[in-house]
Amino acid sequence: MVAEDENVSREMAQVVAKLQDAIGRENVKTSKMERLLYSHDLAPLPNLAQIAFKNIPDVVVRPHTTEDVVKIVKIAAEDKVPITPRGASTWGLGGSTPVFGGILIDMSGGMNKILEINKENLYVKAQAGCTWKEVYDACMEQGLLLGGYPSSFPSATLGGWISVNGVGVGSMKYGTSGDLVRNMEVVMPDGTVVQTGYDLIVDNETGYNLNRLIVGAEGTLAHICTVTFKLEPAPEVMRSLTYSFPTLKEAGKPLMEICRSRVRPLHIGFSDHNHFDLLRKAGRHTLPEGHNVLNIQLEGDKEIVAWEERKIDEIMAKYGGKKLPDEVAAHEWEERCYEYRCREIGIGSIPGEAVMPLNTFEETVDACYNLLKELKLTGAIIGSIVDRNTVMFMP
Ligand SMILES: Cc1cc2nc3c(=O)[nH]c(=O)nc-3n(C[C@H](O)[C@H](O)[C@H](O)COP(=O)(O)OP(=O)(O)OC[C@H]3O[C@@H](n4cnc5c(N)ncnc54)[C@H](O)[C@@H]3O)c2cc1C
């Protein structure tokens, strides 16, 4: 006999009861308010999407272990109910929003434990609902560096950034999210648990690479429960540098020269003067008018970082880049996680993304400004270097 719950449809009542038995009542949520909260991510969906799809889940579950996920997935498979994995929902493109209702698996609520930091074999193993910042900080405390993370790392989860094959801070030196992964424990749609690689070594076997299959799959192939990342020895020093140019376009040539030199920054980000104008309008402490900046983060041994800084200074001076004081550079580095503060001044913002070869930097800057003008939008250009030949624009 299934207890009546006014929030649960008749078809879903059996499923909810099975879920409650399997993982405990306290981890199964059916209240209308709770389900509504999980019907969108950080960006609201257009009204049409809400008519075409069933974005409100029928039930929200919070697993704590891989075994819990196995039970949930098996129930969903038996009863043919759709599942949507959800991290922190910061992607903004609706990936963690249900399309046909069903079961929403909230990973950030219960699967957020760091399981092991192994100094000898240089890896960290954590549940996929941990935030990148939690894992990064815990590794740093042990003298180890997690090479990359999204700039949303205070809230974004491990499983989320892996599932979108993300690029972020540190990608220039240590690769994109998938490059950091050694192994994952995933649950397949029939409830089978699979290890996609090895904790101790890189999976360099001939044949299909399961890590690569799951990275970027947006949760459509399997549910990621734990992740093992390779680690680096923590750097002796971190150094933030900021250089200002009269226009963003003028930063193109020095960027190219840095990327063709032996200098290997952890991260290079850029922001145009419009970005700072918008921040000022939002009442934020930021640069005065007219700055278009390159923010460069170095890390490593003291002497190497000092050599890299000298090389970068030379290149910047050659192209008219003005080095800004250390406090400005430190502030810009701190702000790397808050790229969208300018949303505070308007009804919303439309973030774009264009990944381009580096030698098109100048023409892409022109193209972005032309497009903003054509669309009569108030906008700014920010972005970062992905690798020595790839630049990501986020107008
Ligand atoms: C201020 C800001 C800065 C950002 N910076 C970056 C950046 O530098 N780089 C970048 O790439 N993105 C960035 N983003 C976008 C977004 O934050 C990242 O892609 C983030 O990693 C998504 O993680 P999440 O936990 O929020 O995932 P969600 O949005 O919850 O989910 C993303 C996708 O992953 C799936 N998923 C989540 N968890 C699992 C799991 N355990 N198993 C299987 N599938 C799963 C979901 O179903 C969905 O399809 C930024 C966003 C903001 C707001």
Side-chain angles (χ1 to χ4, degrees):
M1 179 70 188
V2 178
E4 286 267 323
D5 180 342
E6 58 178 300
N7 294 308
V8 179
S9 67
R10 202 171 289 170
E11 311 85 71
M12 282 299 290
Q14 292 282 358
V15 174
V16 169
K18 283 191 204 174
L19 289 168
Q20 288 171 339
D21 278 351
I23 64 166
R25 284 187 91 83
E26 66 285 8
N27 298 313
V28 180
K29 306 289 172 191
T30 54
S31 87
K32 203 166 178 191
M33 173 57 87
E34 191 122 18
R35 292 187 295 118
L36 262 180
L37 286 173
Y38 286 90
S39 67
H40 60 89
D41 61 15
L42 63 73
L45 285 172
N47 287 344
L48 258 183
Q50 291 168 30
I51 295 167
F53 304 113
K54 190 179 167 202
N55 298 125
I56 304 178
D58 291 292
V59 52
V60 176
V61 292
R62 298 212 179 99
H64 291 258
T65 59
T66 302
E67 292 68 41
D68 284 351
V69 175
V70 170
K71 289 176 194 165
I72 295 163
V73 170
K74 281 190 170 163
I75 292 168
E78 264 164 35
D79 288 82
K80 301 206 174 352
V81 178
I83 317 169
T84 309
R86 174 172 168 129
S89 259
T90 64
W91 194 24
L93 299 176
S96 60
T97 306
V99 176
F100 302 113
I103 303 171
L104 187 136
I105 305 183
D106 174 10
M107 290 298 286
S108 64
M111 291 198 65
N112 48 16
K113 286 163 224 67
I114 297 173
L115 304 173
E116 185 188 358
I117 298 179
N118 190 314
K119 284 180 102 160
E120 187 173 356
N121 294 299
L122 291 177
Y123 71 77
V124 57
K125 187 175 197 148
Q127 288 183 308
C130 286
T131 67
W132 284 85
K133 186 167 182 342
E134 282 160 356
V135 178
Y136 179 90
D137 288 347
C139 293
M140 269 302 201
E141 273 172 29
Q142 302 281 327
L144 296 165
L145 176 79
L146 178 58
Y149 51 84
S151 52
S152 49
F153 85 138
S155 48
T157 65
L158 306 182
W161 199 44
I162 290 169
S163 297
V164 303
N165 194 11
V167 163
V169 177
S171 291
M172 185 173 180
K173 193 163 190 175
Y174 296 110
T176 59
S177 61
D179 295 321
L180 307 170
V181 174
R182 278 230 188 283
N183 185 24
M184 287 179 275
E185 182 167 86
V186 304
V187 176
M188 303 303 290
D190 65 351
T192 314
V193 178
V194 171
Q195 303 291 325
T196 57
Y198 306 99
D199 287 343
L200 297 182
I201 53 167
V202 64
D203 180 0
N204 203 34
E205 287 168 308
T206 307
Y208 299 114
N209 186 309
L210 294 185
N211 280 336
R212 286 291 167 188
L213 193 63
I214 300 301
V215 170
E218 297 178 41
T220 56
L221 296 181
H223 193 97
I224 306 169
C225 291
T226 72
V227 191
T228 305
F229 296 110
K230 64 178 176 182
L231 297 172
E232 308 286 330
E236 195 181 353
V237 289
M238 289 256 192
R239 178 93 176 110
S240 308
L241 308 171
T242 296
Y243 300 87
S244 175
F245 291 85
T247 63
L248 184 60
K249 206 171 157 180
E250 284 166 80
K253 288 198 170 64
L255 261 180
M256 191 72 173
E257 197 161 324
I258 290 170
C259 290
R260 296 292 169 270
S261 75
R262 290 299 303 167
V263 169
R264 196 143 183 242
L266 176 72
H267 186 65
I268 303 182
F270 52 86
S271 311
D272 76 349
H273 62 285
N274 292 327
H275 177 71
F276 299 111
D277 289 349
L278 291 171
L279 286 178
R280 249 178 281 111
K281 273 191 198 153
R284 292 285 169 181
H285 166 68
T286 189
L287 287 170
E289 275 176 40
H291 287 284
N292 298 274
V293 304
L294 287 183
N295 294 313
I296 302 179
Q297 187 69 11
L298 301 175
E299 55 92 35
D301 293 353
K302 232 188 214 161
E303 299 94 81
I304 295 174
V305 168
W307 173 81
E308 289 188 313
E309 183 172 350
R310 279 200 304 279
K311 282 296 277 184
I312 293 171
D313 282 348
E314 277 168 31
I315 295 170
M316 293 297 167
K318 184 168 145 193
Y319 292 99
K322 186 173 168 239
K323 194 173 192 176
L324 298 185
D326 282 358
E327 312 84 77
V328 174
H331 176 75
E332 287 300 302
W333 177 242
E334 285 302 315
E335 282 292 297
R336 71 194 181 285
C337 310
Y338 307 102
E339 294 152 323
Y340 301 121
R341 286 198 198 279
C342 53
R343 284 178 69 178
E344 292 165 17
I345 56 170
I347 47 167
S349 69
I350 311 170
E353 203 170 289
V355 180
M356 304 295 290
L358 187 56
N359 66 355
T360 66
F361 185 90
E362 286 149 300
E363 63 190 273
T364 308
V365 169
D366 281 343
C368 290
Y369 285 135
N370 287 340
L371 192 63
L372 285 170
K373 206 165 150 191
E374 216 175 282
L375 297 174
K376 298 191 173 64
L377 288 172
T378 304
I381 303 177
I382 56 174
S384 64
I385 300 296
V386 179
D387 70 11
R388 289 192 186 279
N389 210 43
T390 313
V391 51
M392 183 164 75
F393 285 85
M394 294 190 286

